[in-house]
Amino acid sequence: MSGFLGVDVQHSSTVPALLEGGRPLPVGDGLRVWIPHAYGEGLGWGSAAAQRSLASGRATADRLLEWRRDPWDAEFLTGLRDRVARYLGLPERAGPAPGYRVVLCAGPGTPADAEEYVEEAGLGGALRVGPAEALLCRRLASPGQPLPTGALLAVAVGERWSVLAPFRAIRSDGGPLVLTRTGPDTVLAYGGGEWTELLVGQVLARCREDAPAADLLALADGVQECAARLAQADAVEWQGAYAERLFAPLVVRGAELAADPAVADGLHLLRQSARAAVPHPSSVVLGGPGAVWPAMRSALTDPAAGASVWCGPEPATDLAAGAAWWPLLRSCFAPVPSAGYAVHAVGAVPAIPAQPDRGPNAASSTPSTDRSGSGPSGPFSPDSRCPDPLEVLPPWMRP
């Protein structure tokens, strides 16, 4: 079998998803779908390394990500290569998995030479796709209601950033749906990470002083679970890590979180930026790890406009899964003009630290550009390792 490996690299973790047989499956590290950017001599890799770095001491908010290291370092990427090999039942360190191609979801701050890092780590040649296009691929590949025609806004919410992109969906008589980009990305220095830090602070503020740091990774898991529960109820009781160590039960209310200054300004900025990008959309497509918070969807819902907001059941894997779909669905996207679009950045775009012996990494501010010539404006020519699209597309997308 052959397929594509979509990789979504966020601030503290990476989500790889393998598209095989028409269904993207998260690879994870054996413990979590999101793989912590943790590694080091004597620590291991991923969740195990993060857990070992938190093995002693008290739990404090500033220790939540103390294990975080550079995801573009060769040590992390080779660990990802070995994990994918184990997942596929192949020998570790065997080089690129035969029949599979890596597709990077290139969010803000992605190094311009990220493909080189991926290839040097033994993962093979990589393609790249912007977060908005990856998210729309995820939407196109989802069963159910087809994507409405008309003005469309794609909103990819990451851990430390959000990308908003305007499109127009056009379907001619009897023809396929074509998505045409109508403007640049709007990049905000705001994402789901602020919400995680807010709730983590509330939990730890109610903890006894003997709370161990060893449970901080489980606390981050609990925050994501709590966010998902808030999509079903206005208020939920905290049931995650440290619940038994709280002085009193913690009831988490979505409206109170959204009104907190730590996230309220960013939420307002997201709402205003969405209206500026596409004033009257026929539909909004929302996804990415930060989209797990229901307030993100509420901020993009405009009852007066009547636009529908689509958000998948597993937003944390949307961008990785969509990146894996990109080579098969890129024909649904009209070519971008040769001049391209200038990115509209609001706030500080995430930076990537320089790599030893590699010189400074220029952060790419044009996530839709593909250095290998496989971006929205360039043709894609499958090589012998790439599958036949008809073998991989789900039944509802086959001609």
Side-chain angles (χ1 to χ4, degrees):
M1 186 61 188
S2 55
F4 296 94
L5 178 69
V7 179
D8 175 27
V9 181
Q10 295 289 329
H11 175 71
S12 67
S13 62
T14 286
V15 176
L18 190 68
L19 177 60
E20 190 177 66
R23 181 184 176 192
L25 300 173
V27 174
D29 63 4
L31 295 174
R32 288 174 175 81
V33 169
W34 55 277
I35 303 173
H37 296 156
Y39 51 88
E41 186 175 354
L43 292 176
W45 181 82
S47 292
Q51 198 65 54
R52 289 190 181 100
S53 70
L54 298 169
S56 61
R58 290 180 54 238
T60 58
D62 59 357
R63 295 195 64 189
L64 182 67
L65 299 181
E66 74 169 21
W67 40 263
R68 180 194 173 276
R69 297 185 63 186
D70 181 7
W72 301 104
D73 185 89
E75 189 169 353
F76 181 79
L77 292 175
T78 54
L80 178 60
R81 176 202 65 192
D82 292 345
R83 169 57 190 164
V84 172
R86 290 195 300 273
Y87 184 86
L88 294 172
L90 302 172
E92 293 185 17
R93 307 183 187 280
Y100 292 86
R101 186 75 178 271
V102 173
V103 186
L104 295 174
C105 178
T110 300
D113 48 356
E115 294 92 336
E116 295 178 12
Y117 298 167
V118 169
E119 189 164 11
E120 289 172 6
L123 282 161
L127 311 175
R128 73 163 62 193
V129 61
E133 283 79 7
L135 177 58
L136 289 175
C137 285
R138 175 70 182 89
R139 172 66 178 88
L140 289 171
S142 300
Q145 291 295 325
L147 192 63
T149 57
L152 166 68
L153 177 65
V155 183
V157 184
E159 186 179 350
R160 296 294 176 93
W161 49 258
S162 295
V163 172
L164 299 83
F167 289 81
R168 179 166 291 279
I170 303 171
R171 189 189 302 274
S172 58
D173 293 339
L177 183 72
V178 176
L179 297 175
T180 301
R181 179 180 274 269
T182 57
D185 285 345
T186 297
V187 180
L188 310 181
Y190 171 77
E194 288 87 345
W195 291 75
T196 297
E197 293 167 4
L198 174 60
L199 188 49
V200 163
Q202 292 186 2
V203 172
L204 294 180
R206 291 164 172 77
C207 271
R208 298 196 300 267
E209 292 186 357
D210 61 346
D215 291 336
L216 281 173
L217 215 55
L219 175 59
D221 294 335
V223 167
Q224 299 302 306
E225 294 167 4
C226 184
R229 292 169 60 206
L230 284 172
Q232 307 300 322
D234 294 334
V236 298
E237 184 174 339
W238 176 257
Q239 298 176 350
Y242 304 113
E244 74 287 353
R245 294 177 177 271
L246 300 183
F247 292 118
L250 172 62
V251 177
V252 182
R253 294 179 171 84
E256 291 182 0
L257 285 179
D260 193 287
V263 299
D265 290 346
L267 203 58
H268 176 72
L269 179 62
L270 179 69
R271 183 183 298 110
Q272 294 301 107
S273 299
R275 291 176 179 172
V278 183
H280 304 291
S282 61
S283 61
V284 178
V285 178
L286 171 67
V292 69
W293 295 98
M296 301 289 186
R297 179 169 186 162
S298 298
L300 298 170
T301 301
D302 186 352
S308 62
V309 178
W310 179 92
C311 187
E314 298 178 354
T317 64
D318 278 346
L319 301 183
W325 275 111
W326 169 248
L328 301 177
L329 298 181
R330 59 170 295 118
S331 61
C332 296
F333 293 79
V336 172
S338 58
Y341 292 103
V343 172
H344 176 214
V346 180
V349 177
I352 295 294
Q355 292 284 344
D357 302 324
R358 286 175 172 172
N361 293 341
S364 173
S365 60
T366 55
S368 297
T369 301
D370 189 331
R371 296 170 65 249
S372 64
S374 55
S377 60
F380 173 68
S381 301
D383 59 25
S384 58
R385 299 184 299 163
C386 296
D388 180 347
L390 294 183
E391 295 178 358
V392 180
L393 287 176
W396 64 87
M397 295 189 66
R398 294 176 185 171

